[in-house]
Amino acid sequence: MIYKTVSLTESQVGKYVDINGDGIPEGVIFADLAVGGKCPYGEGIYGEYKIPTIKEGLKDYIVIDGFEDKINGKQEVLAPILDGQDRFYIMALNNVNSDAFTWYESATYEQIKDYYTITSSKFGTGKLNTLSMLIKWNNSEYGKKKQNDLWNKIKIQVQNGWFIPSKEEFSCFGTSLGLTKLNFLDKGLNPYYWTSSLNNTSSAFHISLIQECMKPFHICNFSHVRLAATI
């Protein structure tokens, strides 16, 4: 079978990606590093972000099939074929599970004193945020580990390359997929999702699809979790 190759100059945002070659897509593309992009302050309902552009050394991809999902309807499915640098940021098609989780319940007021260095809001930092916070949580550095903390629920997925998106990565996802308070339920999403970006010593940012904004939320509160990856 002859597969169609994917253009290096045309954005593939909104298409699905099969990571492991089983023919079933795991995520939807929300950022394409081959073309980059940005959302200046005031233009996007979820906040500003800037996607870097990479012109050389990216993986090659082919179109292997079509697929339909609530999140973006019927689209092509892409798969990588050669080694290289990851081109796409993808969001998982499903939540970690149906429950909502705390960010870090025991890390109450004034305990995450290094919040401004341990995580970042910038695009491209979600993976490092996740790895850094998972180490802190495993070591109980900001308080006792709790069963309902989100870090307790994503350990296996993180080992497989998934991470909690940063504030700007989730902003990009919301804007790129055209998410609004009128359509998020039809797209199979919940009203609120945690990001991996701390706001201060006691709150982290979460995206509010029902309010069409990004806002701080106390880390002992509950919100849903959806993971991202690069491929």
Side-chain angles (χ1 to χ4, degrees):
M1 181 180 295
I2 299 176
Y3 293 102
K4 181 174 75 172
T5 56
V6 174
S7 168
L8 279 170
T9 58
E10 297 177 5
S11 174
Q12 305 299 308
V13 167
K15 297 182 180 181
Y16 304 111
V17 174
D18 174 16
I19 294 176
N20 58 16
D22 64 357
I24 301 172
E26 290 84 13
V28 60
I29 298 169
F30 68 89
D32 184 343
L33 300 184
V35 297
K38 62 181 179 179
C39 181
Y41 180 76
E43 291 191 13
I45 58 177
Y46 300 109
E48 62 183 309
Y49 58 84
K50 184 176 181 180
I51 305 167
T53 303
I54 300 175
K55 294 298 185 182
E56 296 181 353
L58 294 171
K59 291 177 181 176
D60 289 321
Y61 303 80
I62 56 173
V63 179
I64 61 169
D65 206 345
F67 183 77
E68 187 170 4
D69 187 84
K70 286 182 179 181
I71 202 163
N72 204 37
K74 190 172 184 178
Q75 301 287 342
E76 292 178 332
V77 178
L78 313 185
I81 56 171
L82 295 173
D83 291 336
Q85 189 167 343
D86 291 345
R87 172 176 172 177
F88 303 123
Y89 277 73
I90 66 170
M91 191 70 74
L93 298 182
N94 299 293
N95 294 347
V96 170
N97 64 33
S98 60
D99 296 326
F101 304 108
T102 55
W103 206 88
Y104 194 157
E105 183 180 351
S106 295
T108 52
Y109 293 99
E110 305 303 325
Q111 285 207 349
I112 306 184
K113 298 182 186 298
D114 56 348
Y115 72 91
Y116 50 90
T117 57
I118 194 63
T119 70
S120 170
S121 293
K122 295 297 184 181
F123 189 95
T125 62
K127 189 168 188 176
L128 182 57
N129 289 348
T130 301
L131 293 172
S132 298
M133 277 306 308
L134 189 55
I135 291 171
K136 297 287 189 180
W137 184 87
N138 279 329
N139 293 332
S140 301
E141 291 194 26
Y142 304 122
K144 185 179 178 181
K145 296 180 285 188
K146 293 292 184 71
Q147 178 70 23
N148 282 325
D149 290 337
L150 63 86
W151 312 106
N152 186 46
K153 309 298 180 178
I154 64 170
K155 291 181 282 188
I156 294 176
Q157 294 95 321
V158 170
Q159 292 175 5
N160 292 325
W162 294 90
F163 57 88
I164 300 173
S166 69
K167 178 186 176 185
E168 290 192 7
E169 289 162 357
F170 237 130
S171 295
C172 178
F173 171 66
T175 300
S176 297
L177 273 293
L179 303 180
T180 71
K181 61 186 177 183
L182 299 178
N183 68 17
F184 76 90
L185 288 175
D186 292 335
K187 290 178 176 290
L189 296 162
N190 291 94
Y192 308 105
Y193 286 94
W194 283 120
T195 78
S196 58
S197 303
L198 284 160
N199 172 60
N200 58 27
T201 58
S202 62
S203 68
F205 288 101
H206 78 167
I207 188 169
S208 173
L209 299 176
I210 199 168
Q211 296 170 297
E212 297 183 345
C213 66
M214 188 74 66
K215 60 193 301 183
F217 202 46
H218 199 283
I219 54 179
C220 68
N221 289 328
F222 287 78
S223 197
H224 283 87
V225 176
R226 188 167 292 215
L227 301 178
T230 61
I231 180 66

